[in-house]
Amino acid sequence: SKSKIDILVDAKSAAMFLTYFATLFCICSSCPFLHQESENSANTNENHVHANIALYPIPTFRTTSRPTTLQPKKSPTAVPVSAPTAVSVCKKTKFAYPTVTAASTCTAYKQIRADFIALLPPGGTSAGDFTRANIFGKALRLAFHDAGEIDITQPDKLGPDGCLSNTAENAGLIPFGTVTSTMVDSLFEPIYQKYCDSISRADFWALLGWLSINLSSGGAIPISFQYGRKDAVTCNVPKDKVRLPNAQSGRGAINQVFIAQMGLTLTDAVTLIGAHTLGHVHPEATGYGVVATPTTTTATTAVRLAQLDQPSLSLPDTEDPLLQSNAWDSTPQIFDNEYFKGLIEAGWENKGDVMTSTNELTDWSPTKASGYGFPHHIMLNSDMVLAYNSSTNTNYGFSGQTCGPYSPTGDFVGCQSPVDNAQPNTASIVQNYANDNNAFLLAFAESYKKLVSVGYGKPYFNKLGPALIDIVC
């Protein structure tokens, strides 16, 4: 008979055999019981589904982590499957996630830059500058909205991930309401699909913002480019959350989004809002601004002046109704400090919902008495609260309230009707940028880099992934 030692040896051998067999079984069959655990984890995140973006051919699931190989997950029952299940949005790789390196990103960068420049018509004409302004503005807004959906206090993985949620705040960037096609899917997405095997979409969108800043400033802004952002395959905001700022809400929304949710500073917030120096508001997408019919420049001028009760105001020689209507400043195709100069050099009047077609939204326009001379320009509540303690009572404020301008010597002038002479603590930042274009450009370079890397690296406990990598191409 066997001794106790022999029995123990036999038992140990049997255990080792069973362990080896189980390991071999997992390798061959990919451990279905482990898949079930991963699937359960993904389904937990799917409970936060709000609305699935239908702009691009993307899968209808989102994972809380991004392993190199993913198995197909079940689609949420509330969201119809409109695209093949996959782990990437790149058609060129047949939806397999691309291998992205510094070399591949640099190669893609050079080609993307050339293709982006090819989208731009020559400047120097009203129509050309108008189109350039809109392309620059849209690309920069896209990069901000992608990053701006992060909330560092929440466990989800939204952030700079190449995906936009289907919410009203993203109108104009995604098909929403009556807008069925946007510049993002008609101009930008085809460029991305050409090079999607070499760069993530999240990196691509951040790059478009960088190119817009660089080209519209004449190369004056030194922003280093980083790669390493990971794409999401769905981008759903929890139902009880609105991640992006509401322009009606003023300072409260700025504090909530930039500081509480993104972990940036108040100076970063003021600096980044200075991106309004590019592009226009689009009433067909957001409801802000003037809708003129017919849309000729002459009609636009007449409609705008009539709405401002200034039909006899003579326009300066430099006035360009097509280019400057619904723009924040006089040169919406150039990245500079004109936005901040306009805030304090013009007097502004709350026109309530006078200048919108159907929505009760607040637009501010230059007052006739201010002598600013550009009646086509616009400011929103979120702009005005940077320089004035303008009212955003019930999100609308008081129609007819006027604020500014600052005196010629830079002295603060408050608001009238109702009177409010309190000066916000952001006013000094606005004045500094209005007086020093170079200071604004340098500050924007730093703040933009922080914006498009939010969620990555040690400051964010690697929420979205490790620190991004600086590259020079």
Side-chain angles (χ1 to χ4, degrees), residues 115-122 127-143 173 182-184 186-188 191 205 207-213 215-216 278-280 282 323 332-333:
D115 285 2
F116 185 74
I117 291 175
L119 297 177
L120 304 171
D129 285 340
F130 176 79
T131 300
R132 291 172 70 90
N134 282 330
I135 291 176
F136 289 146
K138 193 75 71 175
L140 192 51
R141 182 173 180 240
L142 175 63
L173 296 173
T182 73
M183 192 179 290
V184 177
S186 63
L187 295 184
F188 301 158
I191 296 177
W205 284 359
L207 175 58
L208 288 188
W210 183 90
L211 288 173
S212 295
I213 299 163
L215 295 171
S216 62
L278 288 180
H280 305 80
H282 296 273
L323 177 63
Q333 79 281 19

Side-chain angles (χ1 to χ4, degrees), residues 329-408:
D329 71 30
S330 57
T331 55
Q333 79 281 19
I334 299 174
F335 197 97
D336 55 21
N337 66 338
E338 284 295 320
Y339 164 80
F340 293 106
K341 292 171 69 174
L343 262 177
I344 66 174
E345 290 180 4
W348 295 91
E349 181 178 354
N350 182 334
K351 303 301 283 189
D353 64 346
V354 174
M355 296 195 303
T356 62
S357 54
T358 57
N359 298 304
E360 291 187 287
L361 301 174
T362 303
D363 293 351
W364 293 73
S365 297
T367 62
K368 181 178 180 180
S370 73
Y372 189 58
F374 298 108
H376 300 269
H377 294 169
I378 189 172
M379 291 289 172
L380 310 178
N381 281 347
S382 55
D383 302 303
M384 293 299 297
V385 296
L386 301 181
Y388 307 95
N389 200 37
S390 53
S391 175
T392 55
N393 182 49
T394 66
N395 281 353
Y396 301 109
F398 295 96
S399 181
Q401 184 179 37
T402 60
C403 298
Y406 286 33
S407 74

Side-chain angles (χ1 to χ4, degrees), residues 221-243:
I221 302 183
I223 302 178
S224 61
F225 186 65
Q226 301 168 301
Y227 85 98
R229 299 167 190 84
K230 302 297 182 182
D231 289 340
V233 288
T234 58
C235 36
N236 304 308
V237 175
K239 292 181 180 180
D240 61 339
K241 284 284 186 180
V242 176
R243 295 287 174 82

Side-chain angles (χ1 to χ4, degrees), residues 26 209 291 420:
C26 281
V291 180
D420 195 322

